[in-house]
Amino acid sequence: MRGWLPLMLVLLGGCDALFGLDDLHTGPYFDAPPDRDFRDVRAIGDGMSDPRLLARFDFEDNYEDAVSGQAATCVSAAATCPGFTDGVHGRALLLDGVDDCLQFPLPSLPMHFTIAVRIYRNDDVPETAVAKPYASTAFDSWQIDTAMVRQLRYVTYNGSAERALLFDDVVEPGAWLHVAVTYDGGMKAAYVNGSALTSSSVGEGVITDGSAMLIGCDRDSAQYSRMFSGRLDEVVVYDEELGPPEIAALAQ
């Protein structure tokens, strides 16, 4: 038996090398090797594994929603459809600021939500990146909007009036920014490039209906307005408020 012991140890060591057991990590979480980039799949929401994800548009030379496989459509047959150009990751939507805008009906109407989008503004002018109009009114259930003085506006509608969180000197023209907004059923928050913006939002309600989500414009009553001039990419909608670590992961 003494002669077999060294041989068995050699064979076991060879099995480790053969089957890669030297690189095996155990436990519910593990440190990734330095050459790998592991992310929490619930944070990045790939449309396959995260049940909270309602829609995701990556605009890889198409208007397809990665969750449903359905495509967004142009808001008007008379309008030109947005084109495509280079984005931060792959391709992005290219909008002319005149009549380019997409619409998409969300599969459900969340009472809690996270909306995120990458934006690249051409100019410091009032325009809308993403909006969810309410009925045939001039109000939006929620809206990610920009204004002068590089202002970011996060607008919601409570059934009687719009409420806006305003952040000056945030949305710089000629640069990519990741913008995310959340609502937990009472409180609102906004993030730029994964970092929370300081706000004094108070608890308030948000009402919604079956109106389609708009990408690249707003709708005031029956008129489309605030057409976006620049690029938009990675539009995602969750039916839950994501936490700061998940927002930071989305912004990577």
Side-chain angles (χ1 to χ4, degrees):
M1 291 297 294
R2 286 197 303 270
W4 281 98
L5 183 58
L7 179 59
M8 291 173 65
L9 293 174
V10 170
L11 289 174
L12 287 173
C15 288
D16 284 355
L18 178 63
F19 294 107
L21 298 181
D22 289 338
D23 293 329
L24 182 65
H25 298 261
T26 60
Y29 302 97
F30 57 88
D31 294 328
D35 60 336
R36 299 290 298 277
D37 179 23
F38 285 90
R39 300 187 198 176
D40 181 355
V41 79
R42 287 175 60 84
I44 61 174
D46 61 4
M48 299 295 290
S49 305
D50 194 336
R52 305 172 300 175
L53 190 61
L54 294 182
R56 181 181 180 105
F57 293 90
D58 292 313
F59 300 121
E60 296 302 313
D61 290 325
N62 61 64
Y63 305 142
E64 186 174 297
D65 166 34
V67 179
S68 67
Q70 301 299 309
T73 59
C74 297
V75 296
S76 169
T80 60
C81 291
F84 301 95
T85 188
D86 292 335
V88 175
H89 304 127
R91 305 286 280 168
L93 203 65
L94 180 63
L95 303 107
D96 63 8
V98 178
D99 54 9
D100 290 353
C101 187
L102 297 177
Q103 60 186 352
F104 183 77
L106 294 172
S108 63
L109 309 175
M111 295 297 100
H112 300 192
F113 55 77
T114 297
I115 319 295
V117 58
R118 291 191 190 274
I119 69 175
Y120 183 105
R121 300 176 73 194
N122 287 338
D123 304 296
D124 187 22
V125 298
E127 54 197 1
T128 296
V130 188
K132 177 70 169 54
Y134 182 75
S136 58
T137 70
F139 303 113
D140 294 278
S141 296
W142 46 258
Q143 178 183 22
I144 297 177
D145 191 65
T146 67
M148 304 296 287
V149 299
R150 303 180 179 184
Q151 186 181 76
L152 175 67
R153 302 171 70 244
Y154 170 23
V155 182
T156 57
Y157 179 53
N158 64 12
S160 60
E162 282 191 338
R163 304 293 188 186
L165 297 181
L166 307 178
F167 307 94
D168 289 341
D169 202 25
V170 170
V171 191
E172 180 179 358
W176 277 106
L177 295 174
H178 183 270
V179 178
V181 298
T182 66
Y183 175 68
D184 68 359
M187 301 295 290
K188 300 191 299 186
Y191 300 76
V192 168
N193 291 337
S195 297
L197 298 175
T198 301
S199 73
S200 57
S201 176
V202 296
E204 57 188 34
V206 173
I207 66 169
T208 188
D209 68 351
S211 300
M213 173 178 72
L214 300 177
I215 301 174
C217 74
D218 189 17
R219 189 186 73 213
D220 293 326
S221 299
Q223 300 297 318
Y224 293 103
S225 62
R226 301 180 79 90
M227 297 288 183
F228 193 91
S229 175
R231 309 179 215 177
L232 299 174
D233 202 4
E234 298 174 21
V235 175
V236 295
V237 181
Y238 289 84
D239 66 359
E240 184 176 303
E241 179 204 16
L242 299 188
E246 293 179 301
I247 297 291
L250 281 177
Q252 290 182 8

